[in-house]
Amino acid sequence: MITDDMPLEELAGSWDEIREEYYLRNDAFDRTVLDCAVRLAEDPGGESAGVWAIGLLMMAPYVAGAPGDGVVSAAVSALEAADGALRERPCGHETHPYQEHEPEFDEDLSRQLCGLYDPDAAWDENHPREQWLCPRNVAGLARIALDIIEPGSASGIPPRLPVGSQDTIDTLSALLHGYPEPGTDIEAEIGVHAEELRSAESADRPGRLLVVMAVAWYAASDFVRNPAVLDELISALETTLPHYADARCTHDRHPAPPRSGPNAAALGIKLSSPAGRALYERDRTRTDPLDQLLCPVALSEIANDAMRTLGGRRAELH
């Protein structure tokens, strides 16, 4: 039997609860993750490795947050061991489910896991059970879990936004549409994005600048009347502009950023991480290539335009 102390359905249910409530922090969740990690580490190349790897994949968003001491290291060590033990196992499959496993498919993992180990259960997935249970697929799922916990730490898997990015997009979208989510501290939310731009690494700075551009449009409206909020954004832009002071390019044109504040902010959040940029390039069809969209000359223009917008509003409030 794969599990000898708890039915697989109960295990999967407990893991799915943590997946859904990943933003909560409690000792019971920590113990559940640690138990799963210990089981995988005990036999990372064994018959039951798929159970525990899928369990850790389901709980990975929780582990990516701020769990208790030792939880991250235990999960990462177990997943790395499983990947190392299974990744090079021979198989005759041309494809595996992990290669097309998008974030929204995480919602199906509990049901799929129970069906995988019950030969009498109905199975109508796009891939047969043998491909799901293939050691190379289990290794791929382990790498996806690793990448969720530590973005950029795994290769050969579909890119996905870091944990919390979609929540940030949703919060910003509601704010910039003029209907903030209940409990949103508008001034604090704006301040967070100013600081994110100020402290951004070089590769992430363009995306953060697009977010501040979108927030600047909102901050310059009648929704914001506290000059200190504008000052934070202006300070972030003043910190950013020197990075583009010597910008030059040979482009005939620069694509305009989205005219909609929510769309501009969503694009900015997406482009603020390596995985998000990989997603943009992967899904790009008729949209502009990143080297034109994020040309330093274009970014300088965006920053200066945002500065003028905020400066004008700042003068009105005096």
Side-chain angles (χ1 to χ4, degrees):
M1 182 64 184
I2 295 298
T3 61
D4 54 9
D5 53 355
M6 182 183 292
L8 186 55
E9 291 79 3
E10 289 185 29
L11 275 175
S14 68
W15 296 338
D16 208 37
E17 177 188 1
I18 294 174
R19 181 192 64 79
E20 292 178 345
E21 300 182 354
Y22 71 90
Y23 47 86
L24 300 178
R25 295 291 171 259
N26 65 56
D27 292 342
F29 285 5
D30 287 352
R31 289 192 295 270
T32 300
V33 175
L34 285 170
D35 177 71
C36 188
V38 167
R39 303 296 188 99
L40 180 58
E42 286 175 346
D43 191 9
E47 177 188 359
S48 63
V51 171
W52 313 116
I54 290 174
L56 289 176
L57 172 54
M58 292 168 66
M59 297 183 285
Y62 173 80
V63 183
D69 293 344
V71 175
V72 173
S73 59
V76 168
S77 295
L79 290 164
E80 288 178 339
D83 182 36
L86 301 171
R87 190 172 190 171
E88 300 302 327
R89 293 275 183 90
C91 84
H93 304 133
E94 293 184 2
T95 62
H96 294 96
Y98 83 86
Q99 294 169 312
E100 55 190 54
H101 189 83
E102 301 292 338
E104 59 268 26
F105 298 161
D106 292 351
E107 298 176 7
D108 300 324
L109 286 171
S110 177
R111 173 183 56 78
Q112 289 169 331
L113 178 59
C114 294
L116 275 174
Y117 291 93
D118 181 359
D120 296 324
W123 186 261
D124 57 359
E125 307 298 329
N126 290 336
H127 296 267
R129 281 189 177 92
E130 65 176 31
Q131 285 178 279
W132 271 92
L133 295 171
C134 174
R136 291 196 176 193
N137 187 62
V138 174
L141 296 174
R143 291 198 301 280
I144 293 175
L146 282 168
D147 193 64
I148 294 171
I149 297 169
E150 296 181 345
S153 64
S155 61
I157 52 175
R160 64 165 66 192
L161 291 175
V163 173
S165 292
Q166 189 58 52
D167 292 340
T168 300
I169 290 171
D170 293 343
T171 298
L172 274 173
S173 179
L175 174 65
L176 298 178
H177 273 117
Y179 300 96
E181 294 174 344
T184 300
D185 184 326
I186 294 175
E187 294 184 2
E189 183 69 20
I190 292 173
V192 163
H193 296 292
E195 178 55 34
E196 291 282 10
L197 175 58
R198 252 193 306 267
S199 60
E201 298 291 335
S202 176
D204 299 340
R205 187 177 296 117
R208 294 297 175 187
L209 176 57
L210 289 178
V211 176
V212 165
M213 175 196 73
V215 170
W217 297 339
Y218 178 88
S221 69
D222 289 336
F223 288 109
V224 175
R225 305 193 63 82
N226 183 354
V229 176
L230 302 177
D231 290 340
E232 280 198 72
L233 292 169
I234 291 170
S235 172
L237 290 165
E238 288 175 340
T239 302
T240 300
L241 276 167
H243 293 287
Y244 305 121
D246 300 322
R248 301 288 186 275
C249 80
T250 59
H251 299 134
D252 294 332
R253 57 174 288 275
H254 294 121
R259 295 182 179 275
S260 157
N263 290 346
L267 178 61
I269 294 296
K270 190 172 188 177
L271 299 182
S272 297
S273 68
R277 293 189 288 275
L279 282 169
Y280 179 92
E281 290 288 19
R282 186 195 71 178
D283 300 335
R284 182 171 65 84
T285 52
R286 290 177 292 179
T287 53
D288 300 290
L290 280 181
D291 69 321
Q292 292 184 24
L293 180 65
L294 303 182
C295 170
V297 172
L299 295 173
S300 177
E301 294 171 357
I302 289 170
N304 278 297
D305 286 346
M307 283 279 287
R308 285 190 288 270
T309 298
L310 292 167
R313 176 59 174 167
R314 185 71 172 79
E316 290 177 5
L317 293 177
H318 266 301

